[in-house]
């Protein structure tokens, strides 16, 4: 895996998930509302998880 994809793969995935959640919240009803809540909730859950349980720092 090269440096670009190793560094930016997860943030871009979270950004795409957030963007799709925002678009479906505005454009859809019914099941799309459920998807938008889940898609917008995942980044919040990840932030809370890494706030309370940070990953171990690697030695350089």
């Amino acid at each position: 895996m090269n440096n670009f994809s190793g560094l930016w793969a997860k943030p871009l995935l979270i950004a795409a998930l957030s963007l799709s959640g925002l678009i479906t919240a505005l454009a859809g009803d019914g099941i799309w509302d459920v998807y938008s809540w889940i898609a917008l909730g995942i980044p919040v859950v990840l932030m809370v998880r890494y706030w309370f349980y940070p990953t171990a720092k690697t030695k350089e």
Side-chain angles (χ1 to χ4, degrees):
M1 187 181 319
N2 63 17
N3 289 339
F4 181 81
S5 63
L7 180 64
W8 291 103
K10 291 179 183 176
L12 287 174
L13 179 64
I14 293 169
L17 186 64
S18 297
L19 182 63
S20 69
L22 288 171
I23 291 171
T24 56
L26 292 172
D29 281 329
I31 192 70
W32 295 112
D33 289 332
V34 175
Y35 172 78
S36 66
W37 275 93
I38 292 169
L40 293 172
I42 288 173
V44 174
V45 170
L46 290 173
M47 286 187 284
V48 169
R49 186 256 187 243
Y50 284 104
W51 178 267
F52 288 110
Y53 304 106
T55 58
K57 294 184 179 179
T58 59
K59 291 184 178 182
E60 293 181 24

